[in-house]
Amino acid sequence: TETTTAPAPAPAEDVISGVLKLDFNTHFISYGWDVWGDGSSMSEPEFNPTLELSFALPADFTLTLGTWWDVVPSSKGGDSAIGGRLQEVDVWSGLSYTYEKFTVGATYQAWMYGSDTEDILDVKFAYDCFLSPSLTVHNRLDEGASGGNTGTILALGLSYGFEAGPVSISFPFTLAYFLDDDFHP
């Protein structure tokens, strides 16, 4: 008798993926604005953890959920409206669609700080090739506690990246253009 072995099934693509970053930064720069006004000083680093989860949906759609925190050293502030040294918590949800190498997506963000919430809507266009060019239209819908105006920024991004075993390494570059002169307070 002859026996045959069934071929092994192809591995399924990841349905859920995530990124966890545990960043320490000497300055909090938001779209070119030095939020804490540290200037050229090298102050105590802030802790900025980020967690983002992506869910592969049918028909080449992706749902993204995430959060970012700003935890400052005691020298930069006492108790915040959120609590203790936790000065800001951002959350976001986005939906994107990919066709071959082109991706378009929209992400709503809520930046919570100073007893208020700043609402953001980003629309992003990206192309997956050598330098991974992207264009993000960043829209501040509500100024929240920033005291600044609502406005729009165009952010052109380039990034080169590669895999080194289980680690991804990238070198991103972003150039921003403010459509409104008085976007920052």
Side-chain angles (χ1 to χ4, degrees):
T1 64
E2 187 176 313
T3 60
T4 59
T5 305
E13 290 187 34
D14 291 336
V15 174
I16 301 174
S17 61
V19 174
L20 173 64
K21 292 197 266 183
L22 305 172
D23 293 337
F24 286 90
N25 297 299
T26 59
H27 291 72
F28 178 2
I29 307 296
S30 179
Y31 289 88
W33 183 43
D34 185 355
V35 174
W36 287 103
D38 289 332
S40 61
S41 72
M42 295 297 285
S43 60
E44 295 178 78
E46 299 172 23
F47 178 49
N48 302 121
T50 303
L51 175 63
E52 183 174 273
L53 300 174
S54 296
F55 303 87
L57 302 175
D60 298 319
F61 283 93
T62 301
L63 171 69
T64 304
L65 303 172
T67 186
W68 175 91
W69 296 9
D70 185 28
V71 182
V72 300
S74 58
S75 64
K76 284 192 178 168
D79 290 338
S80 74
I82 297 172
R85 294 177 13 195
L86 181 59
Q87 298 294 312
E88 180 174 343
V89 174
D90 301 348
V91 295
W92 60 87
S93 175
L95 185 65
S96 63
Y97 173 74
T98 301
Y99 176 75
E100 295 181 5
K101 293 186 174 196
F102 181 73
T103 300
V104 62
T107 301
Y108 168 77
Q109 303 171 55
W111 297 357
M112 297 170 279
Y113 60 94
S115 299
D116 208 344
T117 301
E118 187 174 335
D119 297 313
I120 307 293
L121 178 65
D122 284 351
V123 177
K124 184 174 183 177
F125 305 90
Y127 191 73
D128 185 13
C129 64
F130 173 62
L131 289 177
S132 302
S134 64
L135 175 66
T136 301
V137 182
H138 175 81
N139 300 284
R140 179 189 282 171
L141 304 174
D142 179 29
E143 67 186 44
S146 72
N149 297 315
T150 56
T152 301
I153 299 172
L154 300 178
L156 176 63
L158 299 173
S159 180
Y160 175 73
F162 59 92
E163 303 291 323
V167 177
S168 297
I169 299 172
S170 65
F171 300 93
F173 173 81
T174 303
L175 180 65
Y177 176 76
F178 292 75
L179 295 180
D180 304 288
D181 290 336
D182 56 354
F183 184 90
H184 285 299

